[in-house]
Amino acid sequence: MTVDFQPSRTALLSAAARAAHLTVDGEPALFLDTLAERVLGSAGAEMIRYHRQQGGHPILVNARVSATVRSRFAEAALRAAVDRGVDQYLLVGAGLDTFGARSDLARRLLVVEVDHPGTQRWKRHRLAESDVDVPDTVRYAELDLTLDSVFGRVVEAGLDPSRPVFVSWLGGIPYFRQSELHRVLADLARLSPGSELVADYHVPPRWRDARAELYVRAVSAVASDGAEPWRSTFTPDGVAALLGSHTFVVVADHDERAAVPADLWERQDELVPGSLVRLVHARSGIDR
């Protein structure tokens, strides 16, 4: 069946990197996305094949590390939040994330995925076409993050803003201008105090090593050609100030090496943590 909507290229690339990690890289796995390849289908076959043929290339290595580390970091923080009583999960810019269909935890939570209509519809079509079981606890909200109100749409989808929400915003911040980031974060600040946010962001050039610069030169050009240019970078102090202006207080900020257990970097394959991406975890309405 032909569909007249398409996912973003960056969503495809990230899902392909997560899928390829399972067969290209050795143990220990950084993250197990057991559904990514199935959901991608033929749309991801060439991308995954390229990882398998050129798996040691630094750009592909960085792509797999970033895609898997941020997902592991976010889902570990989510599980800790659930243990504290949080039962709502909001994925901003959900892309082709498979948590809702993959994780048993999704059946214990209200899960609301937010993304552009083209990506959302393509993903839902592929889930149905692949006979992937998605529990009725998973809801979808279609919107343009640069224009539409996140708060209004997720409340319409069933999210209760009077109770804490765990929010992930993965692979998104670098693509937004400062004004757009402030608008989205102002919406998220309307959620109940005690809500949490995990996101990844890019650091400015002086924080990057040569390997990261190679990745930036290659991938930023591809992103721009695909009408998804990178637009923002932050230092840890800068991202703390951005979040702090919207009631979120940073409780953890890590580079990729420190974002996952240290023994995961005791490896025999090509995977090494990069210096371009950092991961931040913040809570709203708490004292420092």
Side-chain angles (χ1 to χ4, degrees):
M1 175 181 177
T2 301
V3 295
D4 59 359
F5 37 84
Q6 295 295 326
S8 75
R9 181 164 177 79
T10 53
L12 289 169
L13 290 169
S14 295
R18 295 194 306 272
H21 175 57
L22 299 186
T23 55
V24 174
D25 304 311
E27 295 291 340
L30 293 171
F31 184 73
L32 297 174
D33 190 337
T34 54
L35 285 181
E37 185 168 6
R38 184 172 167 188
V39 171
L40 282 167
S42 60
E46 184 177 350
M47 297 176 187
I48 295 170
R49 187 182 308 115
Y50 193 56
H51 276 276
R52 289 171 177 161
Q53 293 172 347
Q54 307 289 334
H57 192 288
I59 292 172
L60 297 178
V61 167
N62 281 9
R64 294 198 303 278
V65 167
S66 292
T68 54
V69 166
R70 70 191 182 202
S71 290
R72 186 185 185 106
F73 182 78
E75 292 191 19
L78 170 64
R79 287 186 177 277
V82 171
D83 289 343
R84 292 191 292 273
V86 174
D87 63 358
Q88 301 184 102
Y89 182 25
L90 170 60
L91 294 87
V92 177
L96 302 181
D97 189 290
T98 63
F99 172 85
R102 167 178 42 81
S103 175
D104 289 341
L105 192 58
R107 288 158 174 77
R108 297 166 47 195
L109 308 174
L110 174 65
V111 180
V112 178
E113 298 191 9
V114 169
D115 212 332
H116 192 275
T119 298
Q120 289 275 53
R121 294 174 191 176
W122 188 90
K123 175 181 177 176
R124 295 177 73 177
H125 171 78
R126 282 295 306 146
L127 287 166
E129 191 173 59
S130 305
D131 293 322
V132 174
D133 177 40
V134 181
D136 59 10
T137 53
V138 179
R139 315 282 175 82
Y140 301 93
E142 298 179 358
L143 56 83
D144 183 338
L145 285 169
T146 65
L147 299 173
D148 300 323
S149 166
V150 175
F151 184 84
R153 295 291 178 86
V154 300
V155 170
E156 288 174 4
L159 204 74
D160 182 354
S162 70
R163 296 187 292 110
V165 181
F166 187 93
V167 183
S168 68
W169 191 1
L170 304 182
I173 284 179
Y175 295 93
F176 286 75
R177 297 180 177 90
Q178 292 264 352
S179 59
E180 296 165 342
L181 292 171
H182 279 291
R183 191 180 54 75
V184 174
L185 289 168
D187 254 5
L188 297 179
R190 298 172 65 187
L191 299 172
S192 171
S195 292
E196 304 183 37
L197 170 66
V198 164
D200 58 322
Y201 64 95
H202 290 178
V203 296
R206 69 180 183 276
W207 285 67
R208 306 171 192 160
D209 59 20
R211 188 184 183 104
E213 281 299 323
L214 173 66
Y215 182 78
V216 168
R217 287 195 298 272
V219 179
S220 62
V222 173
S224 295
D225 289 345
E228 297 177 276
W230 289 343
R231 292 189 168 103
S232 71
T233 63
F234 294 93
T235 64
D237 285 345
V239 86
L242 171 70
L243 295 174
S245 66
H246 297 285
T247 77
F248 285 96
V249 176
V250 172
V251 295
D253 188 305
H254 299 300
D255 61 14
E256 289 180 336
R257 179 175 293 278
V260 299
D263 60 356
L264 293 180
W265 300 118
E266 297 173 5
R267 320 187 59 85
Q268 301 300 314
D269 56 26
E270 304 286 344
L271 296 192
V272 292
S275 63
L276 172 64
V277 177
R278 292 186 68 89
L279 297 108
V280 63
H281 180 191
R283 295 196 186 110
S284 67
I286 65 170
D287 295 329
R288 290 184 181 274

